[in-house]
Amino acid sequence: MLRRCAPGSPAPRPIHALPPSARALRQRLRQCAERIPEAEAVLDLLDKCPEHQKKGGFPVIVFEGLDATGKTTVTQAVKDTLNGVLLRSPPACISQWRTVFDDEPTPIKRAFYAAGNYILASEIAKASTQAPVIIDRYWHSTAAYTIATETSGRVQDLPPAQDEVYQWPEDLLKPDLVLLLTVDPEERVRRLQHRGLEKTKEEAELEANSLFRQRVEESYRRMVNPACQEVDASPSKEEVLKTVLQLIEKHCA
């Protein structure tokens, strides 16, 4: 895969850890299935999903953002307000295997999370025929964390904007709206400390490495088709919910 770059600048390193399609992630999981029994179980679930997922008549709204930006609170409030269905990525049917794959090399780890999105798409397709669907993380999280992990250095070292790595996979069900919740870095750390929950490896990295956090946030902002609509989640819960509902009414009417 070739990428254009400015004269005299180093060619950006391709992001090999991000499977571009369901076929690619299946191949990657098959390569490690003998060593990781859970990979075979994930493949079995993938094989039960229809190849082409179609959204129902109700809106599908995704909430993205780093930990402690308010996703849990906002998604629950929106679900209650719209009388919708709340789904999370990775879906419950595979979430118990996260610790297994989190200790694997990045390509295998990302294949697991990518597979979770395709399995989740099957749940979205079904649920969106009955009610609005609210999703706590989807493909953009998988992509943003992969890109930030695979790129070292500053934001300027990320693949250039409009690079194909920021594109939504052609074979994955698309949402109607993606909202990216953001808060001031210091406020986010205060919220994490207040929660007192055990940190994931990535959360510890976000806190310890500001460059990694900046790369994740900028990767979110560069996603296209669909792009993220950024929402400042620093105000009160009521104000944030009001802003979110206005965006949903505007984009999903």
Side-chain angles (χ1 to χ4, degrees):
M1 183 188 301
L2 298 178
R3 288 184 176 152
R4 298 175 184 174
C5 55
S9 65
R13 188 162 59 92
I15 306 296
H16 293 299
L18 191 61
S21 65
R23 172 186 276 186
L25 71 88
R26 280 188 174 95
Q27 290 174 345
R28 192 172 296 173
L29 288 171
R30 286 193 187 99
Q31 291 170 358
C32 64
E34 286 189 12
R35 182 173 61 82
I36 309 172
E38 292 83 358
E40 189 66 54
V42 173
L43 282 166
D44 287 343
L45 289 168
L46 270 175
D47 288 341
K48 294 175 183 176
C49 297
E51 188 172 345
H52 299 290
Q53 307 284 1
K54 289 189 176 181
K55 190 179 75 65
F58 287 88
V60 175
I61 303 140
V62 177
F63 287 84
E64 296 284 5
L66 306 183
D67 284 354
T69 52
K71 290 190 308 302
T72 300
T73 301
V74 174
T75 53
Q76 185 63 50
V78 173
K79 178 251 185 189
D80 292 342
T81 303
L82 300 183
N83 195 25
V85 176
L86 177 57
L87 300 174
R88 291 184 172 86
S89 182
C93 59
I94 67 168
S95 59
Q96 71 269 27
W97 301 320
R98 289 182 69 169
T99 54
V100 173
F101 287 92
D102 281 349
D103 288 333
E104 291 294 325
T106 298
I108 297 174
K109 176 180 178 179
R110 293 307 169 197
F112 167 75
Y113 284 100
N117 291 316
Y118 283 91
I119 295 169
L120 181 63
S122 184
E123 298 179 13
I124 296 168
K126 182 178 179 180
S128 61
T129 65
Q130 310 269 334
V133 180
I134 316 304
I135 308 170
D136 186 341
R137 289 188 171 174
Y138 195 21
W139 175 262
H140 284 350
S141 281
T142 303
Y145 279 88
T146 302
I147 295 163
T149 301
E150 289 282 282
T151 308
S152 59
R154 302 166 299 166
V155 166
Q156 292 92 322
D157 299 313
L158 288 169
Q162 306 307 317
D163 188 283
E164 62 186 29
V165 77
Y166 302 113
Q167 290 277 348
W168 191 270
E170 291 184 1
D171 60 347
L172 181 64
L173 184 150
K174 286 183 185 178
D176 295 289
L177 178 64
V178 182
L179 299 175
L180 174 64
L181 302 184
T182 61
V183 296
D184 178 86
E186 289 75 19
E187 170 62 19
R188 197 181 68 82
V189 170
R190 282 195 294 271
R191 292 183 183 185
L192 281 168
Q193 292 171 342
H194 180 71
R195 279 162 49 173
L197 299 177
E198 185 178 354
K199 298 174 188 172
T200 63
K201 289 181 180 179
E202 284 176 339
E203 183 51 52
E205 177 74 4
L206 286 169
E207 188 172 331
N209 187 339
S210 63
L211 289 178
F212 178 63
R213 173 180 53 76
Q214 290 166 20
R215 293 197 304 271
V216 172
E217 290 181 323
E218 181 60 25
S219 295
Y220 271 128
R221 293 186 178 106
R222 294 187 184 187
M223 297 295 169
V224 294
N225 194 30
C228 295
Q229 302 284 327
E230 197 163 338
V231 175
D232 180 8
S234 301
S236 68
K237 298 173 185 177
E238 294 76 16
E239 289 180 80
V240 174
L241 178 59
K242 181 180 178 182
T243 299
V244 164
L245 292 175
Q246 287 174 343
L247 286 168
I248 292 172
E249 184 176 4
K250 177 182 177 181
H251 292 278
C252 302

